[in-house]
């Protein structure tokens, strides 16, 4: 197996995916940071986002774009009782 060709292919796919996600977020005015891990999962971070206007909106936009939500991680060090919170959403 040509490992250099496989690596180049994987890098091209990741670049394509990165561009697509950036276009989706930008077109919906969602300035969130994201990364794509080594397994191809997209991790989008919403910092101090409102539950309705940020968190639910992101989930709807990504679902409409054909992505599957594999859950979210909410850091434990957040104060409770507020409508805004930070979370990392995982998609593929």
């Amino acid at each position: 197996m040509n490992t250099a060709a496989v690596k180049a292919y994987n890098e091209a796919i990741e670049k394509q995916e990165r561009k697509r996600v950036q276009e989706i977020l930008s077109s919906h005015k969602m300035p969130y940071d994201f990364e794509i891990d080594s397994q191809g999962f997209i991790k989008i971070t919403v910092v101090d986002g409102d539950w309705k206007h940020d968190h639910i909106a992101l989930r709807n936009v990504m679902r409409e774009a054909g992505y599957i939500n594999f859950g979210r991680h909410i850091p434990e060090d957040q104060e409770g009782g507020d409508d805004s919170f930070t979370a990392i959403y995982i998609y593929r």
Side-chain angles (χ1 to χ4, degrees):
M1 176 184 273
N2 186 342
T3 56
V6 171
K7 182 179 178 185
Y9 173 79
N10 288 338
E11 288 172 356
I13 294 296
E14 181 180 335
K15 182 178 178 182
Q16 229 176 1
E17 193 68 37
R18 184 172 301 284
K19 181 179 177 185
R20 181 172 184 238
V21 171
Q22 187 61 60
E23 288 173 355
I24 291 166
L25 295 177
S26 294
S27 70
H28 289 88
K29 296 180 174 69
M30 296 179 160
Y32 308 133
D33 290 332
F34 71 94
E35 66 177 283
I36 301 174
D37 71 13
S38 62
Q39 296 178 338
F41 287 97
I42 301 160
K43 297 179 179 180
I44 303 174
T45 303
V46 177
V47 177
D48 291 328
D50 176 75
W51 69 272
K52 183 178 182 181
H53 298 104
D54 295 301
H55 295 276
I56 291 176
L58 173 66
R59 291 176 20 200
N60 290 338
V61 164
M62 293 301 284
R63 184 185 67 241
E64 289 171 9
Y67 289 94
I68 297 171
N69 184 318
F70 282 87
R72 70 179 180 190
H73 169 72
I74 300 174
E76 293 180 20
D77 61 343
Q78 298 186 58
E79 296 179 20
D82 193 3
D83 285 347
S84 296
F85 61 97
T86 297
I88 301 167
Y89 291 86
I90 303 168
Y91 292 95
R92 193 140 195 221

